[in-house]
Amino acid sequence: MLVRDAMSSLVLTIGPAHTLRQAATLMSARRVGSAVVLDHDTHHLGILTERDVLNSLGAGQDPDRETAGAHTTTDVVFAAPGWTLEEAAEAMSHGGFRHLVVLDGRGPVGVVSVRDILRCWAPVRRGAVTAAAG
């Protein structure tokens, strides 16, 4: 199975000037765990995750003053739609993160998360367990 089959094509894109509260509100409304941060001035892409917001709040920072840009991961590993789920899982495991921005030639086309991969693998694994038990 490929990343394109598992990814969410709903990509929440925000700017670096969005506050963490604005980002969290948008992420919550769309029921996603990350936002792609696009700096239109530099054309750089980064990712802001729910963990980034949580770490800021845990440090006592004000979500109405802290910007997404200040908490964005910019050394992002990107996936291609044609990657296998095994390749995506390996990249996540190696990098210690739970989301991959999926890029094609035009820009971000999706986000694949550990949850997406597990959702795809679970039915396959369940079938294997049932066959082994029978």
Side-chain angles (χ1 to χ4, degrees):
M1 187 170 275
L2 302 178
V3 165
R4 75 171 51 89
D5 303 319
M7 72 181 193
S8 170
S9 58
L10 174 64
V11 180
L12 173 59
T13 304
I14 63 173
H18 277 79
T19 66
L20 290 186
R21 183 177 308 279
Q22 291 169 324
T25 299
L26 291 168
M27 289 164 62
S28 178
R30 289 181 175 82
R31 301 181 53 87
V32 296
S34 64
V36 173
V37 181
L38 174 60
D39 187 331
H40 290 287
D41 294 333
T42 65
H43 300 288
H44 285 120
L45 289 176
I47 190 166
L48 179 77
T49 67
E50 56 203 358
R51 180 168 288 161
D52 297 322
V53 175
L54 183 65
N55 286 341
S56 175
L57 292 175
Q61 296 174 332
D62 183 348
D64 293 314
R65 293 188 185 271
E66 293 297 314
T67 63
H71 296 276
T72 296
T73 300
T74 55
D75 58 340
V76 180
V77 175
F78 298 103
W83 278 18
T84 66
L85 293 186
E86 289 80 6
E87 289 172 308
E90 174 66 27
M92 289 177 185
S93 177
H94 185 263
F97 43 81
R98 298 176 299 152
H99 299 86
L100 283 171
V101 177
V102 182
L103 294 181
D104 70 2
R106 301 177 318 254
V109 294
V111 174
V112 65
S113 69
V114 169
R115 180 176 290 160
D116 296 327
I117 293 171
L118 290 175
R119 185 182 67 244
C120 291
W121 282 350
V124 173
R125 303 290 188 241
R126 196 173 315 121
V129 170
T130 303

